[in-house]
Amino acid sequence: MSTQTPIRIAVVGVGKIARDQHLPAIRDSPDFELAALISRSACNVDVPVFASLDAAFAAGIILDAVAICTPPNVRWEACRVASRHGCAILLEKPPAATVDEARILKRLANHAGVPIFATWHARYASKVSEAAAWCRTHSLLSGRIDWFEDARKWHPGQVWLWKEGGFGVFDPGINALSILSALHSADWRISEPSFDVPSNVEMPISAKFTLIAGDALIETKFDFRPTAVDTWSIHLESIEGARMDLTEGGSALSIDGGVVSRGQQQEYTALYERFAGLVRSGESEFDIIPLQLAEDAFANAKTCIVGPITI
Ligand code: NAP
């Protein structure tokens, strides 16, 4: 596909992230043209809306790509139809509810010869590449990840998030795992995971575990309970005693306790630039390490049932 031709894209699932990030990023991108929305609820928009991808194709809509922004456990049908029609596929994080399901989606796309992009938007936060450069020149010894946000503030009414396949506090927490595995591409493993699960839902509201790679240990806490301040931070220390604090979800960085530098928010702009490159070159990018780590934590967690929550 030439670099001049706009990539005609449909967004599938028009919820919070589609409205907050995908639609503005597509609108501002020189590479994409929004051709349709696939939605059960979208209205008052200036592009055609269809209840399914099949219905869009039946109506004669021509698409080169789809961005799937539904919850992770309901993506198979859209991937199947998109692959069959030769559309490149962008998957919001996490790519699927399980590693096995993710591999099936990848095989569907590979078999049809279409690019598939399992996105990890947090890796595009403005200070992650500088943090990665620090990691390349230091030997990691220890660290701490704190990923705390109030579920009722950021995810009100998202019932799916609290059901099997919805990940609970790992929905934001997996962003930390995606950043860490990009900073330091070692074979991380999860040790001693423990979860608090409210009595009226299936997914954890908080989680604690240690991430281990070689001699490096990272104490990790995810928490979805109300908090005075949202905290999305990764603190790392090297064997030589150097320190790196990557905070604000990867958009603020301090080295050795020095001044905090911040970059502009541009995660989804960068993510769509990457997707355009993949669509035009016909390549795929599909990293499941953060999902594998989350799955390992779920498989081995010691669970404590806590009081009920309001969603
Ligand atoms: P959301 O607000 O609940 O939106 C999901 C949308 O998917 C719904 O509005 C609905 O759109 C569609 N959908 C299709 N089948 C559904 C089903 N069975 N149950 C619920 N919705 C269904 O969720 P979101 O926050 O946008 O998250 C969607 C994905 O983006 C998740 O994988 C999440 O991890 C990821 N993400 C979210 C954020 C965030 O800050 N919220 C940030 C980054 C990534 P229609 O009514 O249009 O069909």
Side-chain angles (χ1 to χ4, degrees):
M1 193 174 205
S2 103
T3 48
Q4 266 78 52
T5 321
I7 300 165
R8 292 158 297 190
I9 191 168
V11 172
V12 182
V14 188
K16 182 172 186 334
I17 199 62
R19 289 181 193 282
D20 289 358
Q21 298 291 346
H22 290 261
L23 295 177
I26 291 168
R27 188 191 57 224
D28 294 344
S29 166
D31 291 300
F32 291 90
E33 181 182 294
L34 184 66
L37 298 178
I38 310 303
S39 172
R40 309 163 307 175
S41 63
C43 53
N44 296 329
V45 287
D46 51 9
V47 285
V49 181
F50 299 93
S52 68
L53 261 183
D54 264 333
F57 288 119
I61 295 287
I62 298 171
L63 296 174
D64 306 302
V66 295
I68 302 184
C69 304
T70 61
N73 57 350
V74 290
R75 295 182 176 169
W76 186 83
E77 181 60 14
C79 281
R80 187 185 67 79
V81 177
S83 302
R84 207 178 62 214
H85 286 267
C87 293
I89 299 168
L90 177 154
L91 298 169
E92 245 304 347
K93 63 86 199 170
T98 65
V99 167
D100 280 352
E101 274 177 38
R103 290 197 172 117
I104 290 170
L105 301 187
K106 182 166 181 275
R107 276 202 295 275
L108 266 178
N110 289 353
H111 186 69
V114 299
I116 187 162
F117 182 21
T119 64
W120 299 104
H121 66 87
R123 288 179 175 175
Y124 293 86
S126 54
K127 290 291 167 180
V128 171
S129 54
E130 272 178 61
W134 184 91
C135 286
R136 281 194 293 277
T137 55
H138 293 82
S139 307
L140 193 56
L141 175 66
S142 62
R144 203 180 80 233
I145 295 177
D146 293 326
W147 221 258
F148 309 152
E149 68 181 49
D150 180 352
R152 286 182 64 187
K153 172 177 163 196
W154 292 99
H155 307 274
Q158 290 185 345
V159 174
W160 61 266
L161 195 148
W162 296 101
K163 292 186 170 169
E164 186 73 37
F167 290 92
V169 74
F170 276 77
D171 178 74
I174 206 165
N175 296 336
L177 300 178
S178 77
I179 295 176
L180 181 71
S181 52
L183 293 183
H184 200 76
S185 62
D187 281 337
W188 290 103
R189 65 188 173 82
I190 301 258
S191 171
E192 298 192 14
S194 66
F195 290 0
D196 284 343
V197 178
S199 57
N200 58 336
V201 297
E202 295 165 44
M203 292 288 109
I205 193 165
S206 69
K208 274 190 214 167
F209 51 90
T210 307
L211 282 153
I212 304 178
D215 292 333
L217 299 181
I218 314 257
E219 298 304 334
T220 304
K221 283 187 197 165
F222 298 160
D223 209 315
F224 237 172
R225 286 175 281 226
T227 165
V229 189
D230 297 315
T231 303
W232 300 293
S233 61
I234 298 178
H235 308 279
L236 300 179
E237 282 180 20
S238 76
I239 289 172
E240 304 82 13
R243 202 176 114 199
M244 186 211 73
D245 301 300
L246 183 65
T247 53
E248 299 174 23
S251 58
L253 181 70
S254 161
I255 303 293
D256 295 328
V259 69
V260 177
S261 63
R262 288 188 175 76
Q264 265 196 321
Q265 278 290 3
Q266 36 92 60
E267 290 177 27
Y268 281 78
T269 304
L271 191 144
Y272 272 92
E273 281 169 11
R274 175 71 180 139
F275 188 40
L278 293 173
V279 175
R280 297 197 195 283
S281 66
E283 291 168 296
S284 292
E285 182 180 309
F286 207 89
D287 178 12
I288 53 166
I289 288 171
L291 178 59
Q292 180 71 67
L293 289 169
E295 194 163 293
D296 291 349
F298 273 86
N300 298 303
K302 214 185 268 177
T303 295
C304 174
I305 303 296
V306 297
I309 53 162
T310 306
I311 296 170

